[in-house]
């Protein structure tokens, strides 16, 4: 079956603009995770969804970052007033939600803020 | 709080030689441990995981890892390196009742020389 998909694959934006990144998890996966991969910081957890609720938002770096999930499926990560330090690859992963089941990762969205 | 330390940001081995990638963790709760591999321009793929039970875990592509609680380690090994093993490897930890979010190490880039 289809894996986790993310769009766009690449996004170039100007400093100060808002961006939306989309994640389509594997069908039936109740848990969804966002991570960020950057040269300076490695792989960082951002936020976790179980269904449509986000019990753990502890990794969101500032209030410019927000995320939502609708219908227990698609998730959108929004970054407002982008800054150059937001440049990174944003990875989405999903799992069945059973404790410590394997997370399946998407290919990521490469965000470049000029 | 949890953290992961991977010793060596870059490891180089000859084809056919032993691969040893080191990972030490810190966790205030019983840890679940993972190794992921990332090939160039691709997403993360699970190699193996330890949750409970047998401390020697076998994964895909001939890799294995041993959980050593006394040493807080989860080193990844492969008896004989292949050119196709060249990639970046990430060790990660999660804890019970934490929603499954992964805390990653900084990654180790493995090069395989012919």
């Amino acid at each position: 079956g289809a894996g986790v998909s993310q769009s766009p694959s690449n996004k170039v934006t100007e400093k100060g603009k808002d961006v939306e990144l989309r994640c389509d998890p594997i069908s039936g996966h109740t848990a969804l995770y966002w991570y960020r991969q950057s040269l300076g910081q490695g792989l960082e957890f951002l936020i976790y969804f179980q269904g449509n609720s986000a019990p753990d938002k502890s990794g969101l770096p500032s209030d410019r970052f927000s995320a939502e999930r609708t219908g227990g499926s698609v998730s959108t990560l929004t970054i407002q007033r982008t800054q150059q330090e937001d440049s990174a690859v944003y990875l989405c992963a999903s799992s069945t939600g059973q404790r410590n089941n394997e997370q399946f990762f998407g290919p990521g969205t490469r965000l470049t803020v000029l | 709080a949890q953290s992961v330390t991977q010793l060596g940001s870059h490891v180089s081995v000859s084809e056919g030689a032993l691969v040893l990638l080191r990972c030490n963790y810190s966790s205030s709760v019983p840890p679940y441990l993972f190794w992921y591999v990332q090939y160039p321009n691709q997403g993360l793929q699970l190699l193996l995981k330890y949750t409970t039970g047998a401390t020697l875990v076998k994964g895909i592509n001939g890799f294995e890892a041993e959980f050593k609680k006394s040493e807080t380690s989860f080193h990844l090994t492969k008896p004989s390196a292949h050119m196709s093993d060249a990639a970046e490897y990430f060790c990660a930890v999660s804890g019970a009742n934490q929603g499954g979010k992964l805390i990653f190490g900084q990654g180790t880039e493995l090069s395989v020389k012919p």
Side-chain angles (χ1 to χ4, degrees), chain B residues 5-64:
Chain B
T5 302
Q6 291 183 240
L7 295 176
S9 59
H10 189 99
V11 170
S12 182
V13 300
S14 297
E15 191 173 20
L18 170 72
V19 175
L20 171 61
L21 304 183
R22 299 178 185 273
C23 172
N24 288 87
Y25 70 90
S26 172
S27 179
S28 55
V29 296
Y32 300 119
L33 295 157
F34 306 80
W35 277 99
Y36 279 84
V37 61
Q38 187 175 36
Y39 298 102
N41 299 315
Q42 293 187 29
L44 290 162
Q45 180 182 7
L46 181 68
L47 274 179
L48 48 80
K49 66 179 180 182
Y50 167 80
T51 53
T52 58
T55 56
L56 182 61
V57 180
K58 295 186 184 298
I60 62 172
N61 301 336
F63 284 93
E64 63 182 37

Side-chain angles (χ1 to χ4, degrees), chain A residues 43-55:
Chain A
L43 267 161
E44 306 171 278
F45 165 79
L46 297 178
I47 186 170
Y48 151 61
F49 287 92
Q50 180 60 45
N52 291 337
S53 63

